[in-house]
Amino acid sequence: MAVPARTCGASRPGPARTARPWPGRGPQPGPGARRSLWLLLPPLLLLPLLAAPGSSAYSFPQQHTMQHWARRLEQEVDGVMQIFGGVQQLREIYKDNRNLFEVQENEPQKLVEKVAGDIESLLDRKVQALKRLADAAENFQKAHRWQDNIKVGIPALRDDPESEDVERGSKASTLRLDFIEDPNFKNKVNYSYTAVQIPTDIYKGSTVILNELNWTEALENVFMENRRQDPTLLWQVFGSATGVTRYYPATPWRAPKKIDLYDVRRRPWYIQGASSPKDMVIIVDVSGSVSGLTLKLMKTSVCEMLDTLSDDDYVNVASFNEKAQPVSCFTHLVQANVRNKKVFKEAVQGMVAKGTTGYKAGFEYAFDQLQNSNITRANCNKMIMMFTDGGEDRVQDVFEKYNWPNRTVRVFTFSVGQHNYDVTPLQWMACANKGYYFEIPSIGAIRINTQEYLDVLGRPMVLAGKEAKQVQWTNVYEDALGLGLVVTGTLPVFNLTQDGPGEKKNQLILGVMGIDVALNDIKRLTPNYTLGANGYVFAIDLNGYVLLHPNLKPQTTNFREPVTLDFLDAELEDENKEEIRRSMIDGNKGHKQIRTLVKSLDERYIDEVIRNYTWVPIRSTNYSLGLVLPPYSTFYLQANLSDQILQVKCKWPDFEFLLPSSFESEGHVFIAPREYCKDLNTSDNNTEFLKNFIELMEKVTPDSKQCNNFLLHNLILDTGITQQLVERVWRDQDLNTYSLLAVFAATDGGITRVFPNKAAEDWTENPEPFNASFYRRSLDNHGYVFKPPHQDTLLRPLELENDTVGILVSTAVELSLGRRTLRPAVVGVKLDLEAWAEKFKVLASNRTHQDQPQKCGPSSHCEMDCEVNNEDLLCVLIDDGGFLVLSNQNHQWDQVGRFFSEVDANLMLALYNNSFYTRKESYDYQAACAPQPPGNLGAAPRGVFVPTIADFLNLAWWTSAATWSLFQQLLYGLIYHSWFQADAAEAEGSPETRESSCVMKQTQYYFGSVNASYNAIIDCGNCSRLFHAQRLTNTNLLFVVAEKPLCSQCEAGRLLQKETHSDGPEQCELVQRPRYRRGPHICFDYNATVRRGVADLKSRGLAPAQADQLLVSPRRKIPQTVAVGPPSRRRWASWSPCSCCFSWACRPGRSLKSKSTPLAASERPAPPPLHSQPTPPGLFPFPTVPLHTPRLRASSLPH
């Protein structure tokens, strides 16, 4: 029984309509040409229709009718592809030219082991250079004699386009250098000099800096010798613990437009090389006394502290007053990756001051966090960082309970803001727990003092000696000098000086030595074109982050953060890939064939494919290498044209078919922009690139060593093979007869031939077949792959009146040679959209012959079809991604290529709900977004405390610390145009219009489980719709016939396919199931040597507390004199009152003498009592000295 056409309202018989003229291009085809439409349409008998009593003249098509229409469509497509695609003919051409190529095999295990070995050799050469540099640096510093009145030049290069001078000396003298453009560095360099960079907030004329510049200048010769032994070396850098960066070769420093906030000590490679992994708990005092500017300083300090952590570290942040609670949704330590730190930074801004100070609650919470062994954590250095404005409680009972006597947790205390509180308890807490005390009275002290703790953590490495001298390789990050994405090998440099004869060596890190390796240099060691379009090599580190991967393409980079793309985010995650990732992190070998989902190159489609994964560890590194191969890429073609080259007298065979003069008869040729020869000039314009290629080929011989013979010979081979396809198939065919705009063939060898030549004007596909979406999808799918023109919903519809719009149909050529099967090429046609839309109507109609459409009289009963009843019946072809390909509705022709939900949301939702489509959601963590306009949060700039009228009228206010602090911030803002972190991006030199990194949510649709013909109803009362859907065999198309909607009240939610801005997956949920990772193999957190040092100091007469204080002090300390021993035999020992508990200013003076020389009584400065207060700060004070005067280091003292 026929199904009624409508369930609401009267049905509308289709009006009589005249046949539309055939929409061909140019002259209209004659009757003979038009018969081609019926190439595969046999005469049909009119099928009897059963109509329900009282039904109208037209009824909805029955299922068998629509199946018949589907077969017509399948046959028409197959017929055209058989005639014009030339799949069978191309197979025969390959076999006829069997003597011109060999079939080679990709053996995954051998391939991946060879590449891993090559990478290991490359990195090992850098390791040897690193060791030479580190040893030399330690010896140079040991031999250096400290000079108090030193004057040395500062070789800082100015990045001025009109000047290439090197500043030499503290005076205005300069030295002009000559720079040469070096493509390896992507920069202008000078190989005869090194250059230095010093952070803006460090005084370049200080004695410490000048002495540092003096002894590090000797590294210049070592840098040069390293380059002589290995010319492939890139940047060689020494990052000093004082903040000085010396790098080779010299190049102008890329100074930003505003403040240069670059500090080597905050670079990812320096942090990783200077200390072992950390478990850190940050606790912030938010009692009522912490308000206004002090709270703002704390928030900024916490954010800066988070920036000193890397992905090897774990952290949590909590606030406390009477009680302690986490500031974010994280209830335990979490990995300090970019996304987790972002959550912390946003949460910290919401802290509000109230209540009373309760140190006990804060420390108990922190110790409980560090003692939680049921979570993943670093399990190395453990520390608590407390930010407060001051208090009286020392919470000794908490330390006795959780940390004493072993003191496995270091405590660092930070006194924030300007106040009159007694800081002695804060000093005591730090000293009693192997930590350090800092003061942050103003914004100028934040950056320096939130990174000083790293010096303390480096001491166990120094104590470990040679055991800690291990090269570490970093995550991927963006080079600050324009080299692009790099990894860096790091090696710590230790201070080997001694305080005197027979004394212990210094326990300080001088800095970190680093050598960069560009990712492009590693990629060159991997096979590029023998793996096929869908084969690739990748590498990951112990965190699961990719070092190499075709999807590692960050759109924008942040110099302060590494590029961390997880392997499971680079690909579509599944259980098999989780197992592969775990095995690689564990350093195992393996091989596994899996069925998985892959995203198309244009990120519009999802394909289910089979892939073979093979992986091995890269020895002597923390990396593991993997190889991915589709089964059809097990074999590949290698051209062997030696005999043919000899026959044409050492000239290229088939070379004439690359010349533009042959395009009119042989079709237009696009060649892939590959590195065929070293001297080949590249160009984004393929016509220009082809011209450069031809000019070079006329100069070089086929056996030239400057060319890649594999790429070059395969290109020439495919040129000849595709020309034979033109000669045998395309040239004698009339494309207009079948409404084709073009035919084409693309090959692994890099040739894309489009016929006829004029069709190349509208060819928009990538000339590199391996980067063309149609090419890669055709290899992964059987049958014919339709690709409609891409349309962005933000752009205007296709203008069919002025442009010729085509639909690509492609299929892979599978070649069997013996028992070896491969897919070396893809062929296809380009359909004329308008003509095939008309043809689609006819194929999905009840016509029995080619002249007239079937008409249904008023008294007869018949089924609707897609031609006569196009006002009532919607007929469409949708591809496997849900994009509209063809429609019987003329007004929808300009919407071809759009996601079908934008055309008919109701019908697309029904297809999804009935499992014709499945949805896949993923996140792109490498996207770039336009900067958000700043919100108007109030009149106060950057949230700084703004005094009220009452404050101005209050005389006491003008004498308060708040007034002084506010004045400093105002003056600082006038000088540097930046308050707190609000302008951090601008300070780094980023213009306001620069895009920033963001997360984009991607949604793709692909065919679901339903693979048969299917009828359904979209239930909506009187507005219900019938529809039928059926997959077309051997294509990626879905044929859908549905009633057109009469009313709009049943419109459901619209499915979205376009990329949308997102915050990413919920981080609070992700941390509950963290991905598997492993930290570094060796940890240096606490060494028995430390305790032996305490015993040594105690034997010298120091009290136990003082002995502990000496050994927990960090790098920057100025020896003062302390009376040791009984009064009768009192002597003076050197130690640092600034190192731990004491905050009074350490001023270098006459006391800076060798401790082997007793000081006169008049020269003996007595240390201040513990209850003494800090000296009044200067304009931009640090805990002990003004901003422009960095503290000296013990390693810089005369010995």
Side-chain angles (χ1 to χ4, degrees):
M1 179 178 294
V3 181
R6 298 281 168 182
T7 56
C8 64
S11 63
R12 300 174 300 187
R17 55 192 297 272
T18 58
R20 176 173 174 166
W22 192 261
R25 296 294 169 196
Q28 295 295 322
R34 194 167 174 181
R35 290 194 195 99
S36 64
L37 170 64
W38 313 104
L39 174 71
L40 299 173
L41 296 184
L44 298 174
L45 296 176
L46 182 63
L47 297 174
L49 298 176
L50 297 178
S55 64
S56 61
Y58 289 100
S59 60
F60 191 78
Q62 298 185 66
Q63 182 169 345
H64 63 81
T65 301
M66 289 180 284
Q67 289 174 343
H68 173 66
W69 295 345
R71 285 193 297 272
R72 281 181 170 181
L73 293 168
E74 294 165 358
Q75 292 168 0
E76 184 71 11
V77 171
D78 186 68
V80 170
M81 289 298 291
Q82 290 289 345
I83 295 173
F84 289 94
V87 175
Q88 185 59 39
Q89 294 89 335
L90 194 55
R91 289 196 188 105
E92 295 173 359
I93 293 172
Y94 273 110
K95 292 179 180 178
D96 292 343
N97 293 275
R98 184 65 181 83
N99 63 314
L100 299 182
F101 61 84
E102 300 173 353
V103 179
Q104 302 291 343
E105 181 178 2
N106 283 316
E107 300 181 67
Q109 194 65 38
K110 290 183 179 179
L111 264 178
V112 74
E113 288 179 354
K114 179 184 181 304
V115 174
D118 292 343
I119 296 176
E120 180 188 355
S121 299
L122 171 70
L123 299 184
D124 184 66
R125 294 195 298 272
K126 318 305 177 189
V127 167
Q128 299 307 315
L130 266 176
K131 291 180 178 179
R132 288 192 293 269
L133 282 170
D135 291 343
E138 291 173 348
N139 292 329
F140 291 152
Q141 197 277 337
K142 184 176 182 180
H144 169 69
R145 184 167 183 83
W146 177 270
Q147 302 177 52
D148 288 324
N149 299 317
I150 187 172
K151 294 182 179 180
V152 65
I154 304 176
L157 304 187
R158 297 201 303 266
D159 190 7
D160 185 350
E162 299 180 357
S163 173
E164 292 180 343
D165 297 342
V166 181
E167 297 180 9
R168 307 292 292 181
S170 57
K171 297 183 179 180
S173 60
T174 60
L175 173 66
R176 179 172 292 276
L177 296 182
D178 294 326
F179 295 93
I180 58 173
E181 190 71 35
D182 192 322
N184 295 323
F185 287 90
K186 303 178 183 179
N187 217 329
K188 291 182 177 181
V189 298
N190 184 299
Y191 286 108
S192 301
Y193 292 91
T194 60
V196 299
Q197 187 272 343
I198 302 174
T200 303
D201 52 359
I202 290 182
Y203 176 48
K204 298 179 181 180
S206 72
T207 306
V208 173
I209 298 300
L210 295 180
N211 275 275
E212 195 85 8
L213 293 174
N214 191 13
W215 75 260
T216 58
E217 190 173 6
L219 290 172
E220 197 167 86
N221 293 331
V222 187
F223 286 143
M224 295 179 184
E225 177 61 20
N226 276 345
R227 181 176 179 272
R228 188 190 66 79
Q229 296 187 27
D230 183 4
T232 66
L233 280 178
L234 297 177
W235 299 122
Q236 304 176 62
V237 186
F238 173 62
S240 168
T242 62
V244 173
T245 305
R246 185 177 289 275
Y247 58 94
Y248 176 85
T251 189
W253 182 256
R254 293 188 171 189
K257 295 181 180 178
K258 295 195 176 182
I259 305 174
D260 184 6
L261 295 182
Y262 180 92
D263 190 327
V264 68
R265 295 166 296 182
R266 286 181 171 268
R267 295 292 283 158
W269 64 270
Y270 184 94
I271 293 173
Q272 182 170 330
S275 63
S276 291
K278 304 173 278 293
D279 286 325
M280 176 187 292
V281 179
I282 303 173
I283 54 176
V284 185
D285 180 3
V286 292
S287 60
S289 60
V290 178
S291 60
L293 183 59
T294 300
L295 183 59
K296 184 65 178 180
L297 288 172
M298 286 186 181
K299 293 177 180 179
T300 306
S301 299
V302 172
C303 293
E304 291 290 337
M305 178 69 71
L306 290 170
D307 285 337
T308 67
L309 303 178
S310 71
D311 289 80
D312 289 333
D313 304 321
Y314 282 75
V315 64
N316 200 359
V317 182
S319 62
F320 70 90
N321 37 44
E322 300 92 343
K323 297 180 180 179
Q325 59 182 4
V327 298
S328 68
C329 57
F330 301 144
T331 59
H332 55 74
L333 292 173
V334 297
Q335 187 181 15
N337 57 39
V338 175
R339 296 197 288 276
N340 287 341
K341 287 193 288 187
K342 180 181 178 182
V343 173
F344 282 128
K345 291 178 181 180
E346 292 175 352
V348 163
Q349 301 307 316
M351 293 190 306
V352 178
K354 59 181 180 180
T356 58
T357 303
Y359 287 158
K360 183 173 184 178
F363 277 107
E364 285 183 340
Y365 178 89
F367 280 114
D368 288 339
Q369 291 278 299
L370 294 173
Q371 290 182 355
N372 185 358
S373 59
N374 297 324
I375 58 170
T376 304
R377 54 182 183 171
N379 284 321
C380 192
N381 288 287
K382 299 178 179 61
M383 65 200 66
I384 299 172
M385 325 296 278
M386 184 180 70
F387 293 87
T388 181
D389 62 342
E392 298 180 358
D393 191 4
R394 300 191 178 195
V395 290
Q396 181 171 342
D397 56 330
V398 176
F399 298 134
E400 291 175 348
K401 176 181 178 181
Y402 291 96
N403 204 34
W404 293 355
N406 295 326
R407 293 177 171 84
T408 56
V409 177
R410 297 182 187 270
V411 174
F412 296 84
T413 56
F414 298 80
S415 176
V416 183
Q418 301 196 18
H419 49 74
N420 295 319
Y421 300 128
D422 183 8
V423 298
T424 304
L426 300 181
Q427 298 167 344
W428 180 88
M429 284 188 275
C431 293
N433 293 278
K434 296 171 55 181
Y436 192 65
Y437 165 73
F438 300 91
E439 288 183 5
I440 303 179
S442 64
I443 187 174
I446 291 178
R447 281 175 58 85
I448 291 294
N449 288 312
T450 52
Q451 68 190 22
E452 290 290 281
Y453 76 94
L454 292 173
D455 300 324
V456 180
L457 302 188
R459 298 189 49 159
M461 298 176 65
V462 183
L463 293 172
K466 292 183 178 180
E467 186 181 356
K469 283 284 194 175
Q470 298 191 10
V471 174
Q472 297 186 66
W473 290 97
T474 67
N475 297 328
V476 177
Y477 69 96
E478 179 81 7
D479 175 48
L481 289 174
L483 200 58
L485 296 180
V486 299
V487 294
T488 299
T490 64
L491 194 62
V493 179
F494 300 153
N495 189 337
L496 301 182
T497 58
Q498 293 178 316
D499 291 338
E503 298 291 339
K504 294 180 64 63
K505 292 182 180 180
N506 213 308
Q507 298 176 4
L508 309 174
I509 281 187
L510 291 176
V512 177
M513 200 68 71
I515 289 183
D516 291 344
V517 178
L519 289 195
N520 288 334
D521 290 343
I522 301 178
K523 290 178 183 177
R524 292 190 185 99
L525 302 177
T526 65
N528 288 329
Y529 301 104
T530 61
L531 304 180
N534 291 316
Y536 57 91
V537 172
F538 71 97
I540 66 174
D541 62 14
L542 294 180
N543 281 301
Y545 299 144
V546 294
L547 164 72
L548 296 176
H549 199 283
N551 293 334
L552 179 61
K553 302 174 183 178
Q555 300 300 310
T556 181
T557 52
N558 181 354
F559 287 110
R560 301 180 68 180
E561 296 286 357
V563 179
T564 54
L565 178 66
D566 197 282
F567 170 64
L568 298 179
D569 295 323
E571 304 190 1
L572 294 179
E573 183 177 358
D574 59 37
E575 292 182 359
N576 288 317
K577 291 177 183 176
E578 287 181 8
E579 294 178 8
I580 293 170
R581 178 180 177 275
R582 175 182 286 266
S583 180
M584 294 180 70
I585 291 175
D586 288 338
N588 300 325
K589 294 182 179 181
H591 174 84
K592 190 170 187 177
Q593 184 178 87
I594 66 174
R595 180 176 292 276
T596 185
L597 298 178
V598 298
K599 198 180 300 182
S600 67
L601 197 64
D602 56 12
E603 298 182 331
R604 303 180 81 204
Y605 299 94
I606 295 288
D607 292 312
E608 187 175 5
V609 299
I610 295 176
R611 293 288 189 263
N612 293 307
Y613 282 76
T614 307
W615 60 94
V616 297
I618 302 176
R619 293 190 296 269
S620 303
T621 72
N622 291 331
Y623 303 135
S624 185
L625 188 75
L627 172 66
V628 181
L629 270 183
Y632 53 78
S633 292
T634 303
F635 301 96
Y636 63 94
L637 299 184
Q638 181 172 354
N640 183 10
L641 305 179
S642 302
D643 295 339
Q644 284 66 34
I645 291 172
L646 293 175
Q647 291 174 14
V648 293
K649 299 180 181 181
C650 291
K651 294 184 179 179
W652 292 105
D654 298 326
F655 183 71
E656 65 272 16
F657 300 124
L658 281 176
L659 301 176
S661 57
S662 69
F663 288 177
E664 196 61 38
S665 60
E666 310 299 334
H668 193 99
V669 174
F670 297 92
I671 65 172
R674 299 174 181 175
E675 193 175 348
Y676 300 101
C677 298
K678 294 180 180 178
D679 294 337
L680 178 59
N681 294 324
T682 59
S683 174
D684 294 333
N685 185 299
N686 198 259
T687 302
E688 184 177 345
F689 180 75
L690 179 60
K691 178 183 176 182
N692 297 339
F693 178 81
I694 292 173
E695 291 176 353
L696 184 62
M697 290 300 99
E698 292 174 347
K699 299 177 183 178
V700 302
T701 59
D703 58 349
S704 174
K705 293 184 179 180
Q706 67 159 314
C707 296
N708 185 321
N709 284 337
F710 173 80
L711 294 181
L712 209 50
H713 286 212
N714 276 29
L715 181 77
I716 300 300
L717 171 69
D718 288 352
T719 300
I721 284 179
T722 56
Q723 187 277 332
Q724 293 180 45
L725 183 64
V726 175
E727 187 175 331
R728 295 190 189 186
V729 182
W730 295 347
R731 188 179 296 161
D732 298 330
Q733 297 289 346
D734 184 2
L735 301 186
N736 287 331
T737 302
Y738 291 86
S739 306
L740 302 182
L741 300 176
V743 288
F744 61 90
T747 69
D748 278 357
I751 290 292
T752 301
R753 190 180 291 274
V754 180
F755 185 88
N757 183 38
K758 64 178 182 180
E761 298 175 3
D762 300 319
W763 188 259
T764 58
E765 302 300 322
N766 197 310
E768 169 58 80
F770 285 13
N771 292 336
S773 183
F774 81 89
Y775 191 87
R776 297 174 67 163
R777 292 204 70 214
S778 298
L779 294 176
D780 274 334
N781 291 274
H782 294 283
Y784 308 121
V785 178
F786 282 70
K787 180 179 180 290
H790 175 65
Q791 281 205 69
D792 194 317
T793 55
L794 300 179
L795 302 179
R796 60 183 179 181
L798 299 172
E799 297 181 355
L800 300 180
E801 296 81 4
N802 302 323
D803 300 328
T804 300
V805 179
I807 298 172
L808 241 56
V809 186
S810 57
T811 186
V813 177
E814 188 162 283
L815 186 62
S816 295
L817 300 171
R819 296 183 177 179
R820 295 168 294 186
T821 302
L822 61 158
R823 297 176 184 173
V826 169
V827 296
V829 300
K830 193 173 185 180
L831 310 179
D832 185 323
L833 171 59
E834 288 188 74
W836 273 79
E838 290 289 348
K839 183 181 293 190
F840 169 60
K841 293 181 184 180
V842 175
L843 293 171
S845 72
N846 294 324
R847 285 199 191 192
T848 56
H849 54 88
Q850 66 270 32
D851 294 328
Q852 295 293 332
Q854 177 185 345
K855 296 182 179 180
C856 187
S859 60
S860 60
H861 297 280
C862 54
E863 293 178 297
M864 292 189 291
D865 66 30
C866 300
E867 183 184 23
V868 175
N869 307 97
N870 62 346
E871 292 188 1
D872 297 295
L873 203 62
L874 172 67
C875 303
V876 292
L877 289 177
I878 313 173
D879 69 13
D880 56 330
F883 298 96
L884 180 62
V885 177
L886 285 174
S887 172
N888 72 330
Q889 306 296 312
N890 293 19
H891 69 276
Q892 292 181 351
W893 291 355
D894 62 355
Q895 295 180 297
V896 166
R898 289 196 171 181
F899 187 57
F900 191 60
S901 184
E902 299 168 12
V903 180
D904 192 328
N906 191 256
L907 183 54
M908 184 62 195
L909 183 61
L911 294 173
Y912 174 73
N913 289 335
N914 285 278
S915 300
F916 281 99
Y917 285 96
T918 300
R919 179 167 56 193
K920 181 67 176 179
E921 295 179 343
S922 58
Y923 294 93
D924 178 10
Y925 295 101
Q926 305 178 89
C929 298
Q932 297 293 327
N936 184 14
L937 300 180
R942 278 67 169 179
V944 176
F945 168 72
V946 177
T948 65
I949 298 296
D951 291 326
F952 282 112
L953 297 178
N954 187 351
L955 181 63
W957 181 82
W958 287 95
T959 61
S960 66
T963 308
W964 176 242
S965 179
L966 181 61
F967 172 72
Q968 294 182 46
Q969 307 311 318
L970 290 171
L971 186 56
Y972 188 88
L974 292 173
I975 296 174
Y976 293 105
H977 308 285
S978 175
W979 289 1
F980 301 105
Q981 77 275 22
D983 289 334
E986 296 180 10
E988 294 288 354
S990 302
E992 294 180 0
T993 58
R994 181 178 178 179
E995 293 181 329
S996 59
S997 177
C998 62
V999 180
M1000 299 295 288
K1001 183 178 181 180
Q1002 295 182 342
T1003 305
Q1004 288 89 15
Y1005 292 82
Y1006 60 101
F1007 282 152
S1009 56
V1010 176
N1011 198 27
S1013 181
Y1014 189 83
N1015 285 317
I1017 184 170
I1018 304 175
D1019 189 11
C1020 187
N1022 291 333
C1023 293
S1024 298
R1025 298 171 64 188
L1026 295 172
F1027 76 92
H1028 170 89
Q1030 178 173 344
R1031 295 267 295 274
L1032 295 189
T1033 306
N1034 210 34
T1035 72
N1036 67 325
L1037 297 179
L1038 181 70
F1039 176 42
V1040 182
V1041 179
E1043 292 180 301
K1044 293 180 69 174
L1046 282 180
C1047 35
S1048 60
Q1049 66 261 33
C1050 293
E1051 289 185 359
R1054 174 174 297 184
L1055 297 177
L1056 297 178
Q1057 190 275 336
K1058 64 178 181 180
E1059 247 188 359
T1060 56
H1061 188 274
S1062 171
D1063 293 330
E1066 181 56 52
Q1067 287 297 117
C1068 303
E1069 297 178 3
L1070 290 181
V1071 297
Q1072 301 303 323
R1073 49 181 191 283
R1075 287 171 173 168
Y1076 180 72
R1077 65 172 297 276
R1078 292 181 63 186
H1081 301 296
I1082 299 179
C1083 165
F1084 300 99
D1085 60 341
Y1086 179 76
N1087 194 297
T1089 309
V1090 175
R1091 303 318 302 170
R1092 289 196 296 271
V1094 172
D1096 292 341
L1097 289 174
K1098 289 177 180 177
S1099 66
R1100 293 169 55 188
L1102 285 180
Q1106 290 178 324
D1108 281 334
Q1109 292 165 9
L1110 286 181
L1111 287 175
V1112 299
S1113 60
R1115 166 177 51 82
R1116 289 194 169 104
K1117 54 184 182 180
I1118 304 303
Q1120 301 290 331
T1121 50
V1122 177
V1124 178
S1128 59
R1129 301 183 58 188
R1130 177 165 293 180
R1131 59 189 177 86
W1132 293 93
S1134 297
W1135 74 296
S1136 171
C1138 297
S1139 63
C1140 184
C1141 296
F1142 303 98
S1143 62
W1144 52 282
C1146 303
R1147 298 181 178 84
R1150 297 185 63 186
S1151 59
L1152 293 175
K1153 293 185 177 182
S1154 171
K1155 70 175 182 179
S1156 59
T1157 304
L1159 299 177
S1162 60
E1163 296 178 308
R1164 301 174 188 171
L1170 287 178
H1171 62 272
S1172 66
Q1173 300 298 321
T1175 57
L1179 182 62
F1180 303 112
F1182 287 113
T1184 59
V1185 290
L1187 174 65
H1188 59 275
T1189 309
R1191 289 169 290 174
L1192 304 183
R1193 301 189 306 127
S1195 59
S1196 303
L1197 297 176
H1199 295 286

